[in-house]
Amino acid sequence: AQSVTQLGSHVSVSEGALVLLRCNYSSSVPPYLFWYVQYPNQGLQLLLKYTTGATLVKGINGFEAEFKKSETSFHLTKPSAHMSDAAEYFCAVSDRTGNQFYFGTGTSLTVIP
Amino acid sequence: DAGVTQSPTHLIKTRGQQVTLRCSPKSGHDTVSWYQQALGQGPQFIFQYYEEEERQRGNFPDRFSGHQFPNYSSELNVNALLLGDSALYLCASSLDYSRYPETQYFGPGTRLLVL
């Protein structure tokens, strides 16, 4: 079985500061890992994904995440927060055999001007 | 290339009624999955359709049913609506999810309010 834990349901950062959103997963097999962003009253937009290969993954809007197998983590970072980054962020895990996605409960990011 | 589209965008129903939500997948995608996202929660998997058959199902009652058409579009039906069914319903499409799960993309959702 797989599961995702997002530490911190609410994160606030100042504009220009580092963004760090934490995600830990449990999976009995090598997982696929994803980060999605959701703006108010909208669907989910894929930020980045890890499937295989390089463990540091770069996504859209300057975000990146690093797959650390030993720590079972896939934390999302961005060097400098922008006001437009304020949104809900979801980490998700999927195995490679066609089973469903499992989402975390989300982290709401607030950017303070 | 249009992405995943869903209709309607918003819907208001009363308890006990039935509702049908619709989804058109991204061009070239043949797998459709449905998710329920309650307010303040992450999406929960309802079921997945591939080749017009339900291939996977999450922990949802039989009141939730679906269909996939030959053109890969899909419907989600919910019978005997409960207040707790109020949520954002998301459709996601992918290319043969069992082989390429990393290709899943989401639509904007249908927000259902049950009064």
Side-chain angles (χ1 to χ4, degrees):
Chain A
Q2 298 154 308
S3 66
V4 175
T5 302
Q6 291 184 240
L7 297 175
S9 58
H10 298 275
V11 171
S12 294
V13 299
S14 298
E15 191 175 14
L18 172 71
V19 176
L20 172 60
L21 305 183
R22 300 178 185 275
C23 173
N24 288 87
Y25 69 91
S26 67
S27 177
S28 57
V29 297
Y32 289 147
L33 295 160
F34 306 81
W35 275 99
Y36 286 87
V37 62
Q38 186 175 38
Y39 296 99
N41 300 314
Q42 294 188 25
L44 299 172
Q45 180 182 5
L46 180 67
L47 275 177
L48 50 78
K49 60 188 178 186
Y50 169 78
T51 56
T52 188
T55 56
L56 181 62
V57 180
K58 295 186 183 299
I60 62 172
N61 301 338
F63 285 94
E64 61 182 36
E66 186 171 10
F67 169 56
K68 292 187 176 181
K69 184 178 178 180
S70 62
E71 298 178 7
T72 61
S73 70
F74 191 58
H75 301 331
L76 181 71
T77 61
K78 181 174 181 178
S80 177
H82 191 273
M83 295 299 294
S84 62
D85 295 327
E88 189 84 15
Y89 291 81
F90 292 95
C91 181
V93 63
S94 169
D95 71 18
R96 297 165 186 245
T97 62
N99 285 337
Q100 57 188 282
F101 271 44
Y102 293 88
F103 283 88
T105 53
T107 297
S108 177
L109 176 66
T110 299
V111 181
I112 303 167
Chain B
D1 171 33
V4 180
T5 60
Q6 293 185 244
S7 63
T9 56
H10 295 81
L11 204 52
I12 300 175
K13 293 286 188 179
T14 57
R15 282 179 297 175
Q17 285 189 312
Q18 179 265 344
V19 67
T20 297
L21 311 181
R22 296 176 175 83
C23 171
S24 292
K26 183 178 171 64
S27 177
H29 284 185
D30 57 9
T31 304
V32 173
S33 302
W34 287 92
Y35 294 80
Q36 181 194 66
Q37 185 180 16
L39 196 63
Q41 300 295 317
Q44 298 292 315
F45 175 77
I46 303 174
F47 43 54
Q48 181 184 95
Y49 277 84
Y50 174 69
E51 293 188 342
E52 302 181 48
E53 292 192 358
E54 184 181 292
R55 182 162 66 177
Q56 294 274 348
R57 188 177 183 92
N59 188 27
F60 278 80
D62 291 344
R63 298 187 297 109
F64 290 77
S65 63
H67 189 77
Q68 186 179 35
F69 299 94
N71 66 353
Y72 306 122
S73 66
S74 177
E75 289 182 350
L76 164 66
N77 300 292
V78 186
N79 294 321
L81 284 167
L82 304 174
L83 295 179
D85 295 331
S86 296
L88 180 67
Y89 288 85
L90 295 166
C91 170
S93 75
S94 55
L95 179 63
D96 186 5
Y97 184 81
S98 65
R99 295 172 61 195
Y100 308 107
E102 72 275 19
T103 63
Q104 183 165 245
Y105 288 91
F106 285 80
T110 293
R111 188 163 297 281
L112 172 64
L113 177 61
V114 181
L115 300 176

